[in-house]
Amino acid sequence: MGGLNPLIRQMMSSNIEVQCNAVGCITNLATQDKNKTKIATSGALIPLTKLAKSPDLRVQRNATGALLNMTHSFDNRKELVEAGSVPVLVQLLSSPDADVQYYCTTALSNIAVDETNRKKLSTTEPKLVGQLVLLMDSSSPRVQCQATLALRNLASDALYQLEIVRAGGLANLVTLLKSNN
């Protein structure tokens, strides 16, 4: 109904409350498939990526949640990679906030489903596997689960299999296999 462009402008506001609410609206809109393509082609991905690095945790959570919601289709994953979202998602794996970790691990897991994206990740994100292996030991079971799923998706490629072993991922897998979760 024409509200997307005003929301994008509001995301770029200097007011944290306005940013938080505008990004929250985009996050909610991105739960519907019919909206995702519009969001991806509207120019919203670059401001969302920028706001994922916000010092305000609420803005950061909303932005990473929106990026996650956008990863549910092949075309949108491609758009996210091209918009430069992946390095930000990888950087935020070390966030102290379990929600941000969960959104980022899940988004990266979805991005890693595509072979082309895995190949790009292998050349541009040298810390990805190590960060995911560390998150397999998270105190949050849902972060553990998504980190393990992301590693499973990456392990579709033989080079990643070796990297996961070298990063100590097997020990964490054995520990997780013994857990009650």
Side-chain angles (χ1 to χ4, degrees):
M1 296 178 69
L4 196 52
N5 286 332
L7 282 173
I8 293 169
R9 283 193 301 276
Q10 289 178 339
M11 283 194 306
M12 295 185 265
S13 168
S14 59
N15 184 304
I16 296 292
E17 292 301 319
V18 172
Q19 288 176 1
C20 186
N21 291 327
V23 175
C25 286
I26 298 286
T27 303
N28 290 337
L29 288 170
T31 62
Q32 299 294 316
D33 288 338
K34 64 183 179 183
N35 297 330
K36 291 177 185 179
T37 300
K38 292 175 186 173
I39 293 168
T41 59
S42 71
L45 297 181
I46 291 173
L48 281 172
T49 300
K50 180 182 176 197
L51 290 173
K53 298 184 289 186
S54 172
D56 185 272
L57 184 58
R58 297 166 309 145
V59 173
Q60 198 176 81
R61 282 180 181 157
N62 284 346
T64 53
L67 293 172
L68 164 59
N69 289 344
M70 295 299 295
T71 64
H72 294 115
S73 80
F74 173 80
D75 290 334
N76 292 340
R77 290 190 292 267
K78 183 179 174 189
E79 292 286 335
L80 284 166
V81 169
E82 291 174 6
S85 298
V86 170
V88 173
L89 293 169
V90 172
Q91 178 186 357
L92 289 171
L93 290 175
S94 61
S95 169
D97 184 72
D99 289 330
V100 171
Q101 290 175 345
Y102 173 78
Y103 299 146
C104 292
T105 54
T106 308
L108 288 163
S109 177
N110 292 342
I111 289 168
V113 166
D114 305 317
E115 181 180 4
T116 303
N117 291 341
R118 286 193 305 273
K119 289 184 190 306
K120 186 166 186 170
L121 288 170
S122 71
T123 61
T124 62
E125 299 304 324
K127 295 181 179 182
L128 176 59
V129 169
Q131 291 282 30
L132 291 171
V133 167
L134 288 174
L135 288 175
M136 291 172 70
D137 198 27
S138 169
S139 60
S140 166
R142 67 186 197 145
V143 172
Q144 286 179 339
C145 180
Q146 289 304 317
T148 306
L149 181 59
L151 288 167
R152 183 197 77 181
N153 290 340
L154 291 171
S156 298
D157 295 347
L159 290 176
Y160 272 118
Q161 293 171 13
L162 184 58
E163 191 174 344
I164 291 166
V165 171
R166 286 183 178 155
L170 286 182
N172 285 5
L173 282 172
V174 169
T175 300
L176 288 174
L177 287 171
K178 293 176 183 177
S179 79
N180 292 329
N181 285 334

